[in-house]
Structures are given as C-alpha cells and as structure tokens.
Amino acid sequence: MKPAPFSFVAPESLDEVVQALAEHGDDAQILAGGQSLVPLMNLRLARPEVVVSINRCHELDYIRLVDDRLVVGALVRQIDAETSPLVQAECPLLAKALPHVGLPATRNRGTVCGSLAHCDPLAELPAVALALDAELVLTSAAGERRVPADDFFLTEMTTCIEPGEVVAAVALARQDPSERSALHEVSNGGHAFPVGGVALRWATVDGVCTMARIAAFGVGSVAQRLGDAEKALVGSDLGPEAIAAAVAAARAEVNPTGDIHADADYRRHLVGVLLERGLLEGEAP
Amino acid sequence: MNDEVRVTVTVNGRRREARVEPRRLLVDFLRHDLGLTGTHIGCEQGVCGACTVLLDGRTARSCLHFAVAVDGSDIRTVEDLASLDELHPIQEMFHRKHALQCGFCTPGFLLTTVELLERTAEPDEGAIREALMNNVCRCTGYANIVDAVAEAAVELRRRKPA
Amino acid sequence: MSSDTQGAVGQSVLRREDEYLLRGQGRFVDDLPTPLNTLHLAFVLSPYAHARISEIDASEALALDGVVDVLTGADLAAMVKPIAAQIELPGYSFNTRDVLAADEVRFAGEAVAVVVAESQYLAEDGAELVQVDYEPLPVVTDIAEATDPAAPQVNPTVPGNVYFEGRFATEGVAAGFEAAAHVIAEDFNSNRVTAVPIEPRGCLAVPEQPANLVFYSSTQIHHLLRTALAEFLDVAESTLRVVVPDVGGGFGIKAALYPEEFVCAALALRLRRPVKWIQDRYGALLTDVHARDNHYRVEAAIDDDGIVLALRAEIRTNGGAYSALPFGCTLETTGGARMIVGPYRITEYEYTATAVATHTAPVLAYRGVAQPVCFMAIEGIMDRIARRLGLDPAEVRLRNMVPTAELPWTNIVGVRYDTGSFVESLELAMEMAGYDEFRASQAQGRLVDGKYRGIGICSFTEVSGTGAPGWRARGLTRLPGFDSGTVKVEPTGKVTAFVSHAHSGQGHFTTFAQVVADALGAQLEDVTVVEGDTAAGPYGTNTFASRSAVTGGGALIRASEKARLKLARIAAFMLESTPEDIVVSDGRMHVAGVPSRALSFQEVAETAYAMNTSDLPEGESFGVEETDFYDPPLVTMANATHIAQVAVDAADGTVDIEGYVVVHDCGRVINPMIVDGQVMGGVAQGIGEALMEEFVYDPDGGVRTATLMDYLLPSSVDVPNYQIAHIESPSIDTVGGFKGVGEGGLIGAVAALVNAVADALSDLGVNVNTKPLRPALLSRLIREAGG
C-alpha cells in the first residue's frame, strides 16, 4: 500500500524544525529514521499533512557526555549508538539493548530518540530509558523542557510531547563501572516483536545491593518501571530468596494484557522469568 | 500537496535527478522512475527485506523511505554488484550453493551480505544468521544462504590483497 | 537404436536460472515493462466479515484527478459470470462467487468495488474515497460453530453451512474396535495458515494482436486460467494468451483462480487499454487462499502389540466463504480422509469428512494440502500407542508399516504404493539422528539444565503426480491430470523443449533440460526449456501438488523419444544404415560399432529442415518437432521420514530445534541439489506452521493478522541445520521413475516437531494436540502440570 499525499520540509537546523512545527501544529509529523512511522503511513494508518524531516539537522547527530549524563541527539541512528565506544562505556545497558531493536536494516536508519517518541509498548528502548533514569529534551518555539522518562511515556503510542515539540535529545544516566546490567526478552520468532522483556541494572557494595532499576516492556500498554521489584532487591544479598521476592513483586506489579501473540498470564509469568534470568546472567559491564 | 519536488541522488555511481511527489517511496522511484526493477516489493511493512538497498553504504528498506527524504544520498542496488562478464563473489556463491529458488527475495539478501562482509570479514554462523534476519526467504529454508555467505566470506578474504 | 547419454539426470547441475535472478534481471510481473497508457487497479476491501452492501457512493473517488472509473459488483456482473468450482461429489453444495460482491460480503477482505486510475498511488487514493454503507450481519468463523443450527447461513446454496460430507467405511471396522485390547482416541486441532510467497500476486492485461489479450499473471496454472477466463468472460479461448513471467514463490496459493484476475482481464478488454494490478501484502494476507483450519478426531483400535486393527477419522475442514477455483473447498476434506492411512497397514478404516462454510477467506491449496494435519493426527496416534503400551514410538511405526517386500500395495482407499522405503527411511533417519542414543540419554529424565528435551518422528507417504483418475476420485472432473511436452530439434541441432508447466522457483529450466538431454541423447547445454506460455506448447494441467517432475518429466521423455526416433531414421538414411543400428549420444549419432560413421544433430537436422542437399527418407515429414502427453497413474506416492530433536525451555516455553533429519524417497532423483532445496524450504515452512504462524480472525470475523508483524514467518535464526539423505526407489508406474518432492518437507516437519515437543513434555503428562506451539501455550502446559 502507498502513503497518502503530504507536503515535505527538511529544515537544516533545530530552530527551523521548531519553526516548521509551530507553523503547522497538529498537522505536522517529525520524520527521523521513519522505521516505525513509514509502515503506518504506507498502511494509511498515519496520514500527516506535513512531514518535517530532521535528517538534515546534523547538529542533532551527536553522542556526548554532559556532566553525569550521556546525551544522545535526535538524529543518532540506533546502529551508531550500538557501536559507539562512549555508549558502550557509559551506558552498557543501552548498548546491550540495541541489538534487540528491530532488524539490522531498521537499526541502520531508525534513531534512538525516534523509538522513544514512538512509544510502542513492545519496544525495548522506552524500558531502557526508564532503567537509565532518562530525561527527554523537548524543544519547541517556546524553548526547551526536560521531562523524566517516568513522566514521558503515557500509554500505548502516546507520550507527553505537545504539538510544536520535538524530542531533541535523550539524556541518560551514566552507569557506574561497577554496575551490572541486562536485557532479556522472548518473542514468538526471529522477526517478531517481543511478547515480553525486562531491562535492568543494579549495583552491589560488599555483596549488598545498593541500587536497582528494573523496567519491563511488552507486558502492558507502556513500558513500566518495576519499583516493588527494585525495593525487594535493594539492601538484599541478591541471593535466591531476594530474587524470588523480586520476581514475585514484579509479577504482582505488572498488569499485562493478552493478545494473539501471548496471553496475560504468560506475560506476567515471563516478567519474573526474565528478571531472574537477568539477575543471574547479567554480566559486569 | 501533490506538488512534485526535485530529488538528486547517486544511484550505482550515476547521478540521477527527477521530480517526484513527496510521498513517492524510494523503492517505487528506483523501480519505476529509474527502471531498476531488481529491488522488489514484498510487504511495504518493513518486515520482509525484499526492497533492501544500500543507502549511504548501509542496508535500508527502500519501502520505508521517501525518495525526497534521501535527497543527496548514495544508493547502491543489486544491479551494481556484477560486472558484465562476472558475478560478484557473493552472487557466485549464492549460485554455487543453491541459495536461491524463486529469486524474488535474493537481491535483498545479497545486499545484506555485502554489508555484513564489509563489517565483519570472518563472521561465524551465528553472526551470519543474525545478519540474515534482515530478510525473509520463503523458498530455501535459509541453510544454503548461510553456507553461501560463509563461502563468500572465505572467497572475499582470499581475494583481498594481504 | 539407443541413447548412450546417461548422466545429466542424477547430477547436481547448477541452475541456469540463477544468473539473471542474481543480477536483478528477473522479470516478475511487476517488473515487466508496461505501456505508458497502462491503467492501475485498487480494490475496495470489506472490513466486515458479513454485511449487506446497502449503498456504494463513488462520487468523491471519481472526482479525483487521475481516477478513470470506479466499478461495483453490479458493473462487473455484466462483464464476468459468477465464478464457481466444479465438483462432482454426491451431496456437494454447488456455490458461486461474484468477482466483486454485489449484495453481501462473506469474509473480511472480500472486494466490493474496484478503482481504475492512472497510477497505483492514485488508484489507492480513489479506493480510500469510495464510501460503502454496510449493514453488519451475524458472523460465524469457527469450524465447530458453523454447523450449529443457530449459526448464520454463510452461502444461500450451502444449507446448514455444510459444503460436503463424505463417508467411507470398510465392513470390519466395528469388529476391529470390539476386538481391540485398547482404543487410542485423540482430537487434533490445526491453525489456519497461508503461504505468504514473498512476491504478492499480480497481473497485467495487455490488449495486443494477434491474440486479443495477452494476460501476464503470477499464476501456477496458466492453461487452467486461460480456460477459466474464456469461460467466465465469455470470450473465445483462442483469442487469449496467458504468460507466466518469473513468479516469486507460489506454494499452492497461486494455483487458485482469483477474482482480481477476471476483473483485470475484463477491464482491459472493456477499456481497450493495458490494465495492471499488483497486490499489496495487506490484501495478500486477507484474500489469498488460506489452509489447515482443520479439526481431526481419530480413534485407533489396537491390540496388545500396538498393531492398529481399525481406524476411525472424523475430519472437519473449514472451507471459508466460497468454494475457490479450481480445486474447490473439498480439497483438504477429501485429501485428509484419503491420505491419513499413510505408510501403515490399515485394513479396516472408516471416515466422515465434512467441509463447512464460514465467514472467512476461501481455503484451498498450500504446500502439503491436508497432509501436514492428517499426519500430525496419525503420527500423533502412533506416539500415543507407544506411550500407552510402553513401547518405543519407532517400534510402533515399524510394526504397523507396510514392508518394502510387500510393495506394490494398494491401500484401503484404493491408492497404490508401487515402490517405496517406509521401513528403510525410518531406520536410516534413526541412525542419522542418533535416535537410540538420544532415547538412552532420556532415561535419566527429560529435564536437563532447565530444558525438556524430546524427539519426534513423522513417517509419511507424500501424494505427488496425480493423474486424471486421482482427481476424478475426488470429484474434480474438470481437472485434467496430464501434462504435455514438445521437443524441437532446431536446424542448428540445438534443442528447444516446451513443457506445460510454469515455474515459481523450482528450477524447471535446469531439471527439465537434464531430463530431455538424457532422453534425447543431446548435450545438456544444447537444451533450452520454454514454459509458462499458452502460446508455446500444448495444453496441460500445470504446476501444483508436486506434479512437475512426474507429469512434465514423463511428457518430455515421451516427446524426446519420438524426436530421437525421427533423428535416428534420418541419420540411418544418411549413413546407409538402419535406425535400429543408430546410437545417439551427446548430440551425435553414429552407427553401432563404427564410431567414425557419425553425424552431428546439426547435420541430421539440416536434412530434416531441407537445408542441405540430402534427401529425407521416403515418407518422412519435415522438421524435428515431436509432442506427447503424459497422464500419470491415480497418484504417485513418495515417502519420507523426518526426525526432530527439540529443547523446550522450562521457564519461558520457547522451543529450540537442536537436530533435524530428513530421509526422503522421491524415486529417481533428477537433481539432488534441487531436491534438497525443496526439502529444506518445506521444512522451514513446517517450522513456521508448527511453532509460530497463525492467521487469526476475531469472533466477529475481523482480521487480526493483517501485517507481517502479526502473521509471523520463520527467519534465519528460527531454523536449524538440516541433515538430509535420499533413498531412491524409482517408481515402476511412472515414465522416468520420478516421484514428486515439492511438499514433503513441510508435511513431515509439522508432525515431527509436534511429536518432539510432546515427547519433551511427556514426563509431565500434558497433552500436545494443537498448533502452533508458541511459548505462551507451552509455558501454560508446563505450569499447569507443575513443571
């Protein structure tokens, strides 16, 4: 199927992008990698009047350290983040997650920020953003605001991005070199979206867990931070009893739905399986 | 909205210019405006990979790009792999290993293999299978494609001057 | 006179079709050059599974610049007769389909209007603007609910939603069950799937002399399509030419005749312009024929040794909303009923086989047809016998199989197994799989390192090369069975072979050349194969159901032999010898024992074409161009054994295939490399069917799997490395000794995988009798069993 007609602009700076958004309001749609948007446009399930491509805004193509955060610009392709030494050193959880995202060809074009803005409940990166205490940098003609990931993802395909705003970057917490992290997921086949997954990172001092961030995806309408499971781990020795408690907490705090790919009970069960797998198998960065 | 806009791209080393609607998919531009029908359309949903081309050196779904949005890019399609007299070593190994049947998906697999072997000269079987997830083949059951890619890697290493 | 050329058949000759496909020079239907004035079609598809069409308003679409016309069911009814499959079975409810639904839609995706426009983009713009008012009506999609008296009537001429009910019973079935030491009974459920060739369907109709219409289609059945176009468009068949370009996979779904083809042809004739239609994936999933939505209830009466004394099968197949052309909605029904007895000595058998109508896409052929399901059933019964009696599943099979020494064997429904290797293929597969060692390792328990490990067998017969009697036995009296070959030795001595098949990736240009080279005595490189064109070569039944090696190979051998005889007669005259003394070899002919008295094909052909000064023998006609037809026996039966080893993750329910063995017997092998390719591709599709693929309708008939994100296909990481071996038991009933090989890979994989998973979980006592076996299902079974 072919997309419906639209007008196309490709500004060369972030300023021009926000001007175009201000001009067209609700009718405008940002095009970054397009790997989630264009399938919907081909099916005519998305039909923007104006497509605003950011692919010429080279100023948004950066990965850099700013204080305690690793900032990934809106034009950074997933493959470039995956292979970035900076990402591998500072946010190994993101580097581990990216090979699971889409397929090689879609990672070549798809962007990290685009996946966050798309907010697919089955996507890995929103969960990674939650686990990495991310802040989304939203820019509009009125200026810039920073939104914590916890407040950014609202529900299926819905974020707090207002008309006129563009995700200019995502700022991720730098992982301490002593941290461990993991991402595990299960799907019904190589090409399939996951039916459930867990992203997590944690730290220990003298055998005691001092920090845990756990987020699940594919088990509800939006990626979800698993605070009760985190609490069950922090202060524990991460032994079998603590893991069992975290698994039970994780299963209790998710509210999955069933669909043609998996039933809700399985997804609830799976969250625990994958959390345990992550805690036992997560390698030191 | 239907106003055509100018697109200039380099395709298989040749500069090509055309006026197209903004919504024209890159795959339709290549196939129907430039006559490069080796790139195929299998789903337009980004899954099957029959439309795979190299966009600025990397595999891309040409069904998931608008021609206008890749203005200025360098594009390589299956038609660019062989010389008049000789198949590319990857194509040759696909032939020798019976890695194609209907051949519809094959151009996409070839370009995926070009990218893989440029990134990884000595991929193991697992790396080959991961890379080939880019594409769906419904005929071969993949095993001969995996073999062909492994053999092509050997051949390309052999040809590369030390 | 004899041919000394032996050697092309049996060799893994590399394919001649590869180079142009690899260069991106394949010519699939959407790759064909189209005249600039070509019109493009987009169909308006119903989102409802069952609704009355109260009004269609096309005014907005017609107002769009570039939209040429919008036609509805009433418009097309004036141009195309209602299409219908002809099935002559007692009790079959004849039904017809309008190529565009006129009053009522009966499945989600049925077309209600067609937009004709100057480009595909514009046609789709127009289709979006066609306003259709539907009055939704009650829906039934489920095979069991279809025959509930309260179910809505799907089709006015199909009372009670029963298309057909067939019954068969031998006299001793009841006695067999009375004498039984045990009765093993099970229900088996199968997922609805569809083939998903990577090239969607398409056609291009070009009004062109000397035919009135050249019709390019991605079809597997060009002759049958031409006859049907003539019949339903009411035009002279001789004015139509159907050409099959390269086809990007067919797998049976392109062996159906579809409404879009009739609409495209009718509009080209009406508008006097080329008309093109290229399907998109959304439309493909909704409107290509589906398969396997079946339910089997099987009961086996067995004695204490596990010998089957009698078998009962109650088979229900979902035929969808219409009986599709050309095979009709009973294809899976009669197929499963006739094939389930497989390689086993079943001497008492009873079946009831019912095809029901529902508000779903029509069901027709997909690789394997009924066999993946009927062997899932009978092979599942064999495993259950083993579990009940504490025997090994392989041993139960060996006890029940027809041994090679007893072949030819005619099975209980009258199908003859002329040759085969049921026992030998199982034994070799067990050896290759390390079966005994695997069983020994299971003695310590099937759960090791968090994974349940199991092994599964499917030993089966594979229907191929069906002749006219075989189709008639299934009520398909308008399906011929034969195919044709024409072998033409050109004036230069090169050979053109025409065959009534159409390829979709099988390698015909290579394999048929191998067959002709040997049968004619020509050099392989001198033989060129032409097919897929109703203007090139005589009629045939075309390419589906593992036919081409048997029927095309047989016809080409016969035609080659005629041509070789003619060459020998002319050569004998030129060499002052007798035809009986002429030896034909490698494109040359010589007098037996005197190799120096020799002529090339070219020298003989020049005489035949009067292009030299030699005379033809008295009474000999000009040219060397010979045709013959070949109708194989009732059914040509191949056989195979698949053994799969799997590991089921105890925690998440995922399945890893850790080993996969196939031993296949398709009689005389033309090209081992290509045969292996057919097997491997089929196994991958079987993996998809067993583990992941499923086409899903909502209870209200809406489609839940309209993209490849939701209808899942196996990828490179989902399939194992395959170990394949061949046993060759040449057919004694077919010309050439060939048997088919197109479908076995898929057929065997389904039951082998289902049985392997069932075996892995057998210590838990869970019942695995359905597919696909996705992680969620397996995990639930494991959890419920306390595993």
Side-chain angles (χ1 to χ4, degrees):
Chain A
M1 287 173 76
K2 309 301 181 188
F6 56 83
S7 316
F8 181 80
V9 290
E12 298 195 350
S13 70
L14 182 58
D15 281 349
E16 289 168 30
V17 168
V18 297
Q19 279 167 29
L21 292 178
E23 183 184 337
H24 299 290
D26 263 352
D27 297 335
Q29 168 69 50
I30 293 284
L31 173 73
Q35 302 302 288
S36 302
L37 174 65
V38 183
L40 294 176
M41 290 179 68
N42 285 352
L43 286 162
R44 301 199 181 203
L45 296 173
R47 37 184 324 147
E49 298 276 312
V50 183
V51 169
V52 181
S53 168
I54 61 166
N55 286 278
R56 292 184 174 283
C57 297
H58 300 298
E59 65 183 281
L60 299 177
D61 188 4
Y62 64 88
I63 302 173
R64 67 174 78 108
L65 288 174
V66 180
D67 303 327
D68 60 341
R69 292 197 166 255
L70 179 76
V71 185
V72 178
L75 197 53
V76 174
R77 314 277 176 196
Q78 290 156 9
I79 185 72
D80 292 322
E82 181 183 331
T83 55
S84 155
L86 206 50
V87 171
Q88 288 165 358
E90 301 293 338
C91 292
L93 175 60
L94 177 61
K96 281 180 187 173
L98 282 163
H100 294 274
V101 177
L103 298 167
T106 65
R107 292 199 291 278
N108 282 340
R109 299 299 295 179
T111 60
V112 172
C113 289
S115 178
L116 300 176
H118 188 62
C119 197
D120 190 315
L122 305 178
E124 293 85 357
L125 294 187
V128 170
L130 289 171
L132 287 173
D133 298 324
E135 285 182 359
L136 282 296
V137 181
L138 304 183
T139 306
S140 68
E144 181 183 296
R145 65 178 176 128
R146 292 169 82 93
V147 179
D150 284 323
D151 301 329
F152 178 76
F153 305 108
L154 299 181
T155 184
E156 191 169 349
M157 318 302 251
T158 309
T159 67
C160 72
I161 302 173
E162 296 288 336
E165 282 185 324
V166 58
V167 177
V170 60
L172 304 160
R174 294 168 67 179
Q175 291 182 249
D176 188 90
S178 68
E179 274 184 25
R180 295 159 73 94
S181 55
L183 184 137
H184 287 274
E185 63 181 38
V186 164
S187 75
N188 286 343
H191 285 115
F193 282 105
V195 295
V198 173
L200 65 154
R201 65 185 180 106
W202 70 101
T204 53
V205 174
D206 298 334
V208 176
C209 177
T210 54
M211 181 279 292
R213 292 284 184 281
I214 307 170
F217 55 96
V219 294
S221 60
V222 70
Q224 180 186 350
R225 179 93 174 261
L226 302 184
D228 293 344
E230 291 173 1
K231 284 193 196 104
L233 293 177
V234 174
S236 82
D237 62 354
L238 295 177
E241 280 179 26
I243 290 178
V247 164
R251 286 178 176 150
E253 66 187 307
V254 294
N255 187 22
T257 49
D259 60 24
I260 61 167
H261 302 293
D263 57 77
D265 285 348
Y266 175 70
R267 289 187 154 113
R268 186 184 300 283
H269 167 73
L270 186 62
V271 164
V273 169
L274 298 178
L275 174 57
E276 180 173 5
R277 194 169 286 171
L279 289 167
L280 294 177
E281 296 177 14
E283 301 154 23
Chain B
M1 282 211 350
N2 293 313
D3 289 350
E4 293 190 343
V5 292
R6 180 187 302 279
V7 176
T8 308
V9 287
T10 303
V11 180
N12 299 337
R14 232 180 108 192
R15 189 183 141 96
R16 307 298 293 255
E17 218 177 278
R19 296 189 68 80
V20 297
E21 270 190 275
R23 62 166 163 168
R24 192 147 186 84
L25 296 172
L26 175 60
V27 66
D28 288 321
F29 175 73
L30 292 169
R31 290 173 49 76
H32 298 303
D33 299 337
L34 304 187
L36 296 169
T37 55
T39 304
H40 292 137
I41 298 177
C43 70
E44 295 170 307
Q45 297 165 351
V47 180
C48 82
C51 67
T52 302
V53 298
L54 293 177
L55 180 58
D56 293 327
R58 294 169 167 186
T59 58
R61 305 291 203 225
S62 61
C63 77
L64 296 188
H65 291 84
F66 302 112
V68 290
V70 300
D71 183 47
S73 299
D74 183 82
I75 294 159
R76 198 167 175 218
T77 70
V78 66
E79 285 89 348
D80 197 42
L81 295 183
S83 70
L84 279 179
D85 297 320
E86 206 180 8
L87 292 177
H88 185 284
I90 295 170
Q91 293 170 313
E92 182 62 31
M93 289 304 168
F94 269 62
H95 173 56
R96 288 195 206 163
K97 292 288 171 184
H98 188 34
L100 66 156
Q101 290 183 26
C102 80
F104 189 81
C105 70
T106 307
F109 275 97
L110 294 173
L111 294 165
T112 289
T113 307
V114 169
E115 175 180 67
L116 169 68
L117 298 185
E118 278 174 7
R119 285 181 183 175
T120 316
E122 267 182 87
D124 62 14
E125 184 185 330
I128 293 171
R129 287 185 183 268
E130 286 288 325
L132 295 179
M133 280 174 66
N134 242 357
N135 302 77
V136 182
C137 172
R138 198 62 164 157
C139 292
T140 64
Y142 300 104
N144 285 352
I145 301 178
V146 174
D147 282 355
V149 174
E151 292 291 324
V154 172
E155 177 63 17
L156 286 170
R157 289 201 303 275
R158 193 183 67 77
R159 291 191 185 196
K160 199 171 171 183
Chain C
M1 197 232 38
S2 62
S3 165
D4 265 4
T5 305
Q6 287 300 329
V9 168
Q11 301 300 314
S12 287
V13 176
L14 294 180
R15 299 197 329 163
R16 9 175 105 171
E17 36 276 89
D18 286 354
E19 176 155 357
Y20 75 107
L21 291 167
L22 286 162
R23 285 176 176 270
Q25 293 170 329
R27 281 291 171 268
F28 299 89
V29 65
D30 194 29
D31 301 339
L32 296 169
T34 48
L36 274 177
N37 65 338
T38 299
L39 293 167
H40 298 260
L41 303 183
F43 289 86
V44 178
L45 307 185
S46 168
Y48 294 98
H50 189 201
R52 190 161 293 114
I53 304 166
S54 43
E55 199 192 338
I56 298 182
D57 178 1
S59 53
E60 275 188 72
L62 285 164
L64 202 65
D65 198 24
V67 169
V68 172
D69 204 353
V70 179
L71 298 97
T72 64
D75 301 321
L76 262 297
M79 299 156 70
V80 187
K81 295 176 193 167
I83 58 176
Q86 297 286 338
I87 300 173
E88 290 183 25
L89 287 170
Y92 172 71
S93 299
F94 180 80
N95 59 100
T96 65
R97 177 176 180 183
D98 298 322
V99 289
L100 293 181
D103 305 315
E104 195 173 309
V105 290
R106 298 193 171 87
F107 69 96
E110 185 168 11
V112 299
V114 62
V115 177
V116 187
E118 301 289 350
S119 81
Q120 194 172 346
Y121 284 75
L122 291 168
E124 290 185 22
D125 291 348
E128 226 183 355
L129 293 174
V130 175
Q131 303 293 321
V132 186
D133 285 344
Y134 296 98
E135 282 174 46
L137 296 167
V139 170
V140 62
T141 62
D142 182 80
I143 197 166
E145 291 166 9
T147 50
D148 187 309
Q153 177 89 6
V154 176
N155 202 302
T157 64
V158 183
N161 295 330
V162 175
Y163 282 120
F164 167 73
E165 187 172 281
R167 288 175 183 279
F168 171 91
T170 55
E171 279 182 10
V173 172
F177 276 87
E178 277 165 27
H182 311 271
V183 172
I184 310 287
E186 187 61 82
D187 292 279
F188 296 92
N189 289 299
S190 172
N191 39 335
R192 176 178 281 249
V193 300
T194 182
V196 196
I198 305 302
E199 181 207 27
R201 295 187 285 116
C203 47
L204 168 66
V206 185
E208 188 179 297
Q209 290 296 323
N212 284 353
L213 190 72
V214 182
F215 192 75
Y216 301 90
S217 176
S218 60
T219 186
Q220 297 172 235
I221 48 173
H222 50 305
H223 285 110
L224 302 181
L225 172 58
R226 179 176 180 241
T227 301
L229 288 174
E231 190 176 344
F232 295 108
L233 269 60
D234 202 14
V235 297
E237 189 167 0
S238 51
T239 65
L240 300 171
R241 176 181 168 202
V242 175
V243 180
V244 185
D246 290 324
V247 173
F251 313 116
I253 71 105
K254 291 178 184 172
L257 301 172
Y258 288 94
E260 297 93 340
E261 293 173 301
F262 296 95
V263 173
C264 187
L267 290 175
L269 288 170
R270 168 66 156 256
L271 300 170
R272 297 178 180 277
R273 283 175 66 175
V275 176
K276 180 174 179 176
W277 170 71
I278 299 298
Q279 186 185 46
D280 55 50
R281 181 56 59 194
Y282 173 84
L285 288 164
L286 268 65
T287 71
D288 288 354
V289 293
H290 293 175
R292 316 272 202 268
D293 188 353
N294 300 164
H295 178 259
Y296 279 59
R297 167 79 183 171
V298 182
E299 295 175 1
I302 60 169
D303 67 14
D304 279 324
D305 295 325
I307 303 294
V308 177
L309 306 172
L311 186 74
R312 279 198 189 112
E314 194 182 315
I315 298 169
R316 287 168 74 90
T317 68
N318 191 338
Y322 299 100
S323 188
L325 282 81
F327 315 118
C329 61
T330 58
L331 187 74
E332 290 188 335
T333 331
T334 59
R338 291 172 63 80
M339 297 164 191
I340 191 170
V341 296
Y344 302 114
R345 190 200 309 269
I346 308 285
T347 52
E348 299 294 345
Y349 175 46
E350 175 179 343
Y351 72 70
T352 308
T354 310
V356 304
T358 61
H359 294 109
T360 62
V363 166
L364 207 67
Y366 168 40
R367 197 174 205 170
V369 185
Q371 296 165 102
V373 190
C374 75
F375 287 110
M376 172 184 166
I378 192 69
E379 290 295 273
I381 290 288
M382 290 292 157
D383 277 15
R384 283 164 177 75
I385 294 171
R387 284 199 282 273
R388 175 78 68 90
L389 300 183
L391 294 169
D392 188 277
E395 176 60 25
V396 172
R397 286 170 174 78
L398 290 168
R399 289 181 186 184
N400 281 286
M401 275 175 178
V402 179
T404 306
E406 290 184 30
L407 300 177
W409 161 273
T410 299
N411 79 9
I412 196 67
V413 294
V415 174
R416 180 174 139 106
Y417 305 165
D418 63 343
T419 59
S421 54
F422 311 144
V423 170
E424 293 81 357
S425 69
L426 173 55
E427 288 175 343
L428 178 57
M430 289 167 67
E431 189 187 319
M432 288 166 65
Y435 184 85
D436 293 336
E437 295 81 349
F438 189 90
R439 286 292 184 209
S441 77
Q442 282 181 326
Q444 281 83 49
R446 285 171 163 80
L447 178 61
V448 178
D449 295 335
K451 290 179 192 283
Y452 295 97
R453 289 197 159 76
I455 193 162
I457 302 171
C458 180
S459 285
F460 61 101
T461 48
E462 177 186 358
V463 165
S464 75
T466 301
W471 297 123
R472 286 175 194 150
R474 293 168 69 179
L476 294 165
T477 51
R478 283 181 62 82
L479 201 60
F482 72 87
D483 275 292
S484 67
T486 297
V487 171
K488 182 181 176 193
V489 182
E490 310 282 4
T492 52
K494 306 298 182 192
V495 181
T496 309
F498 302 87
V499 64
S500 62
H501 278 284
H503 76 105
S504 47
Q506 302 92 329
H508 285 174
F509 295 127
T510 306
T511 50
F512 283 140
Q514 290 176 262
V515 169
V516 170
D518 281 7
L520 182 64
Q523 292 197 311
L524 178 62
E525 58 271 27
D526 288 347
V527 182
T528 299
V529 174
V530 176
E531 62 169 21
D533 185 346
T534 61
Y539 207 88
T541 311
N542 316 147
T543 310
F544 54 89
S546 302
R547 300 175 49 78
S548 50
V550 176
T551 65
L556 284 170
I557 287 174
R558 286 185 164 183
S560 297
E561 284 171 352
K562 281 187 178 178
R564 195 180 73 215
L565 286 171
K566 180 163 188 178
L567 290 173
R569 289 196 301 272
I570 299 169
F573 184 75
M574 292 170 72
L575 294 169
E576 297 176 344
S577 176
T578 61
E580 294 72 27
D581 281 341
I582 297 295
V583 176
V584 188
S585 169
D586 285 333
R588 295 184 64 78
M589 330 192 68
H590 67 267
V591 177
V594 197
S596 59
R597 284 176 67 197
L599 292 167
S600 68
F601 269 28
Q602 179 167 10
E603 288 168 307
V604 179
E606 283 174 352
T607 301
Y609 288 92
M611 288 184 168
N612 58 20
T613 56
S614 302
D615 290 328
L616 275 175
E618 179 109 10
E620 199 68 71
S621 60
F622 289 112
V624 185
E625 184 165 345
E626 299 292 340
T627 293
D628 212 336
F629 298 81
Y630 179 57
D631 191 39
L634 189 80
V635 160
T636 309
M637 204 59 96
N639 70 273
T641 292
H642 290 216
I643 297 183
Q645 289 174 32
V646 302
V648 182
D649 189 290
D652 65 25
T654 54
V655 176
D656 281 337
I657 304 169
E658 296 187 323
Y660 204 95
V661 170
V662 178
V663 177
H664 196 275
D665 186 345
C666 59
R668 196 166 155 229
V669 171
I670 298 172
N671 185 319
M673 175 193 81
I674 285 177
V675 165
D676 285 356
Q678 287 291 315
V679 170
M680 291 188 281
V683 170
Q685 286 176 320
I687 290 168
E689 179 169 334
L691 301 182
M692 60 189 78
E693 295 179 37
E694 183 167 32
F695 195 93
V696 182
Y697 287 105
D698 278 332
D700 68 0
V703 174
R704 298 285 299 277
T705 45
T707 72
L708 296 184
M709 281 86 98
D710 287 323
Y711 188 89
L712 306 177
L713 302 175
S715 74
S716 50
V717 297
D718 298 311
V719 300
N721 285 308
Y722 318 92
Q723 279 179 274
I724 301 174
H726 298 283
I727 295 175
E728 290 196 40
S729 306
S731 172
I732 54 172
D733 286 354
T734 66
V735 170
F738 311 128
K739 302 175 184 178
V741 68
E743 299 165 273
L746 200 168
I747 296 166
V750 168
L753 287 163
V754 171
N755 284 346
V757 169
D759 180 58
L761 303 183
S762 59
D763 290 346
L764 297 172
V766 302
N767 192 21
V768 179
N769 64 348
T770 191
K771 61 188 176 76
L773 299 172
R774 288 178 170 173
L777 169 65
L778 295 178
S779 171
R780 178 170 61 76
L781 292 175
I782 292 166
R783 279 176 282 139
E784 284 174 358

